[in-house]
Amino acid sequence: MARSKPKAPQILAPMPGKIIRVLVQAGEKVEAGQGLLVVEAMKMQNEIRSPKSGTVERLLVKEGQPVNAGEILAWID
């Protein structure tokens, strides 16, 4: 069964942790590989990068917010 592709790629949290830095804002244009957010997990900082060039359509987190693995953090269109 083929899964339908979402309109805009969702950026998911790769692990549980805490958002310690938001590097972009909604409406901002980004390049593939550009850092979007920094998640701290087990005392290590992990930069979440954009999988493609586009526009940050929606940002669902803020600095200091805890996140779970697989949680949607943002959409890039």
Side-chain angles (χ1 to χ4, degrees):
M1 174 197 260
R3 290 177 20 185
S4 62
K5 189 172 182 182
K7 176 181 174 265
Q10 300 172 346
I11 308 304
L12 305 177
M15 77 275 298
K18 183 165 90 172
I19 303 295
I20 59 167
R21 202 167 318 130
V22 177
L23 306 172
V24 296
Q25 298 178 4
E28 190 174 328
K29 293 203 180 299
V30 295
E31 297 296 321
Q34 181 178 335
L36 303 174
L37 306 154
V38 179
V39 177
E40 183 179 72
M42 297 186 289
K43 299 185 181 185
M44 292 190 66
Q45 295 183 7
N46 302 282
E47 188 173 70
I48 309 302
R49 298 177 182 270
S50 179
K52 67 174 212 162
S53 296
T55 303
V56 179
E57 192 165 292
R58 205 160 165 212
L59 201 56
L60 301 176
V61 293
K62 59 185 183 222
E63 291 182 6
Q65 179 177 332
V67 294
N68 295 311
E71 187 171 331
I72 299 170
L73 306 175
W75 273 282
I76 305 293
D77 190 22

